[in-house]
Amino acid sequence: MNKTTDNNKQPTRRAYSLDALRGYAILTMVLSATVVYGILPAWMYHAQEPPPTHAYQPDLAGLTWVDLVFPFFLFAMGAAFPFSLRRKYEKGCSMWQLAYGTVKRGVQLMFFAIFIQHFYPYMLSAPQDVRAWLLALACFAVLFPMFMRIPLKMPEWAHTSIKLGAYGVATAMLLCTDYANGAEFNLFTSNIIILLLANMALFGSLTYLLTMYSWWARVAVLAALAGVVLSAQADGSWAQMLWGYTPVPWMYRFEYLRYLFIVLPGSMAGELVMKWMSRPTSEDGAESPPRKVAYAMLCISVGIILANLVGLYNRWSFLTLILSALLILAGWWLTRGLSDSGILWHDLLLLGAALLLVGLCFEPFQGGIKKDGPTFGYLFVTSGLGCMALMAFHVVCDYFCCHRSTSFLVMSGQNPMIAYVACDLLIYPLFNLLGIMKWLGIFATNPWLGFLQGLLLTSMALLVTMFFTRIKWFWRT
């Protein structure tokens, strides 16, 4: 096991699995957005936006791998709360300081959502031109002093001045730029994915601070939230008024809070990982689980994810429930009585099982599992599958220590926002300026080439992210 030593010479571990899960989520998010649309099988896109038109069909139920990438990222965000909040609190940071940092981070992410959306090339001109591509590159460059600490020795006030100056430049760019088709700057024009992340970073973190030492309190919050969501359907009720109350509609809607059903369970999984990190390593007396059990748990966790993807896509709801339950029972039997990593696998399996089985029981409700708007089945199932994915990455990264082969995931997970915007704000503008973009049309001729385009563009975004991660230029969002 990888371990480091603190000032008291007490061995501690590092959980690479959390970064790997986040990296997997962000890279598959990029992949799903860069494959050629219209020509791949329907399971290669969002279930509710099938090819060839990709028109949104709200009544179409089902689940594909694309529908998992965003909830996996949310789950990883929640899993990081114990490390970013609880650990600081236990080191002496006050609750008010943590709350201030939470609000600040949420506001920064909201600004990020608005800024990048306005400077996507297609937002700047129609058809796109050199001006649009150069402005997109300028947006990418300005994001660095906004979200990273300049790696130079200088007083704290200088770092703050540079950051505030970058925000000033970004604000001026937003207000002074002419947009496509005569459009103007609009607060409602924002990246919905980042906006949802901002709301979860804000409300998820605040909820975690208030329930830091009680899972039951977090469960109570989710139960109350479920009550409001369901009661909002009653005409004239206070729950319906709360649901519709939106003082700043460009940044907050009550409906966004439904994703707490993914983020808060993620925080529970993160606490399980933190507890594992505090245990003695196998070198210090703890008995490591047998390798054959580790291989079995890897197969079971991945098998549960695949069973739900295949079963729910094909609408085999009851069969999926039975198969998932059997795999969970097999995992429980294998991990009972184990120590060290086996305890974590056992606990993650039980947490994931509770979420997944509840979600599968909810699946027929609200017309079947749907990503938009997210049904209870979708929220609980994806939370449960998030636990299984975290367990799979823990086996690979933290038990087998496959650090070199998974480093691309870990590095992407440490710098996810660069990966998220690399294609739209860097690679596409450069390709257009160099005359390469027009040649990408060849990839639209058949499904295999359409998928290859996604792999190539995702690989380029990955290389950009790995480069900035290696030189330690992190966007702290």
Side-chain angles (χ1 to χ4, degrees):
M1 287 291 182
N2 180 72
K3 63 179 182 179
T4 58
T5 305
D6 61 18
N7 293 332
N8 296 322
K9 306 298 182 181
Q10 295 174 334
T12 57
R13 315 183 198 197
R14 178 170 179 177
Y16 291 95
S17 50
L18 290 177
D19 287 332
L21 175 59
R22 190 185 302 112
Y24 168 83
I26 199 68
L27 289 178
T28 49
M29 198 180 297
V30 175
L31 175 63
S32 67
T34 52
V35 295
V36 175
Y37 272 31
I39 62 173
L40 300 182
W43 54 267
M44 286 294 295
Y45 308 104
H46 287 296
Q48 292 175 274
E49 298 175 1
T53 63
H54 294 286
Y56 171 57
Q57 299 182 31
D59 296 328
L60 187 60
L63 189 72
T64 70
W65 68 271
V66 184
D67 296 318
L68 288 183
V69 297
F70 182 57
F72 276 11
F73 194 89
L74 286 174
F75 189 87
M77 170 189 278
F81 287 167
F83 302 92
S84 61
L85 297 173
R86 179 168 169 172
R87 183 170 286 176
K88 289 181 180 179
Y89 179 73
E90 292 176 347
K91 288 183 176 180
C93 194
S94 72
M95 193 70 73
W96 288 111
Q97 288 174 315
L98 292 173
Y100 169 76
T102 291
V103 173
K104 178 182 175 182
R105 183 167 61 252
V107 171
Q108 286 178 318
L109 274 171
M110 289 174 187
F111 189 93
F112 184 87
I114 295 170
F115 186 47
I116 64 171
Q117 187 68 28
H118 279 80
F119 284 91
Y120 287 152
Y122 65 84
M123 296 291 297
L124 295 166
S125 64
Q128 297 176 32
D129 54 20
V130 173
R131 168 183 162 274
W133 303 326
L134 291 176
L135 281 172
L137 292 172
C139 172
F140 186 75
V142 171
L143 288 169
F144 281 90
M146 285 171 60
F147 292 105
M148 67 169 281
R149 186 176 181 86
I150 304 299
L152 298 174
K153 291 185 178 180
M154 60 180 67
E156 187 63 33
W157 64 264
H159 284 288
T160 303
S161 298
I162 291 173
K163 186 176 291 290
L164 292 176
Y167 275 97
V169 170
T171 302
M173 290 174 64
L174 286 169
L175 297 176
C176 299
T177 298
D178 294 325
Y179 299 99
N181 302 316
E184 298 179 349
F185 167 71
N186 190 336
L187 287 172
F188 287 89
T189 301
S190 63
N191 184 286
I192 186 59
I193 296 296
I194 304 300
L195 186 63
L196 288 171
L197 289 176
N199 276 266
M200 289 302 96
L202 176 59
F203 293 104
S205 295
L206 291 177
T207 303
Y208 181 76
L209 286 175
L210 295 174
T211 62
M212 196 158 31
Y213 293 103
S214 174
W215 279 25
W216 285 113
R218 258 170 274 174
V219 171
V221 169
L222 293 179
L225 178 60
V228 173
V229 172
L230 293 173
S231 297
Q233 302 174 34
D235 292 337
S237 66
W238 64 268
Q240 189 178 67
M241 290 187 288
L242 179 62
W243 178 271
Y245 178 66
T246 309
V248 277
W250 56 270
M251 64 176 287
Y252 160 81
R253 295 180 185 274
F254 190 90
E255 64 189 73
Y256 297 164
L257 299 185
R258 288 178 291 184
Y259 291 101
L260 289 175
F261 285 102
I262 300 174
V263 173
L264 293 184
S267 71
M268 297 175 183
E271 287 176 342
L272 294 176
V273 174
M274 178 181 280
K275 188 176 180 180
W276 166 80
M277 293 173 64
S278 68
R279 294 191 183 104
T281 66
S282 57
E283 297 175 8
D284 297 308
E287 183 179 353
S288 183
R291 292 175 68 87
K292 61 182 181 181
V293 174
Y295 282 119
M297 293 309 297
L298 177 60
C299 292
I300 287 173
S301 56
V302 174
I304 289 173
I305 295 173
L306 292 177
N308 278 268
L309 285 175
V310 174
L312 295 178
Y313 176 77
N314 289 287
R315 311 302 306 125
W316 302 331
S317 300
F318 184 68
L319 179 61
T320 303
L321 173 63
I322 298 301
L323 182 56
S324 297
L326 291 175
L327 289 171
I328 288 166
L329 283 173
W332 170 82
W333 186 81
L334 285 170
T335 57
R336 74 195 196 287
L338 294 180
S339 59
D340 195 39
S341 294
I343 299 175
L344 176 60
W345 302 340
H346 183 80
D347 292 344
L348 282 175
L349 181 72
L350 292 182
L351 176 61
L355 294 164
L356 177 59
L357 296 178
V358 167
L360 289 173
C361 290
F362 264 117
E363 201 280 334
F365 182 54
Q366 298 173 298
I369 190 168
K370 300 172 189 172
K371 176 181 177 291
D372 297 312
T375 61
F376 280 107
Y378 176 79
L379 296 169
F380 280 105
V381 165
T382 55
S383 296
L385 296 183
C387 282
M388 304 304 168
L390 181 57
M391 179 165 55
F393 281 116
H394 183 273
V395 173
V396 174
C397 300
D398 301 327
Y399 178 87
F400 288 121
C401 298
C402 301
H403 298 155
R404 179 167 296 187
S405 59
T406 59
S407 61
F408 72 101
L409 293 175
V410 172
M411 295 175 74
S412 300
Q414 293 170 345
N415 227 347
M417 293 299 98
I418 289 183
Y420 185 77
V421 302
C423 281
D424 288 302
L425 298 182
L426 179 63
I427 296 170
Y428 289 163
L430 286 177
F431 274 19
N432 277 294
L433 289 170
L434 296 173
I436 299 174
M437 201 70 182
K438 61 185 178 181
W439 296 105
L440 294 184
I442 192 175
F443 291 101
T445 56
N446 70 65
W448 289 106
L449 288 177
F451 181 67
L452 179 60
Q453 173 181 290
L455 286 179
L456 291 175
L457 292 172
T458 303
S459 297
M460 297 194 71
L462 169 63
L463 291 175
V464 170
T465 307
M466 292 179 67
F467 170 76
F468 287 114
T469 303
R470 283 192 182 278
I471 65 174
K472 299 187 185 303
W473 286 23
F474 298 99
W475 288 3
R476 300 297 187 187
T477 53

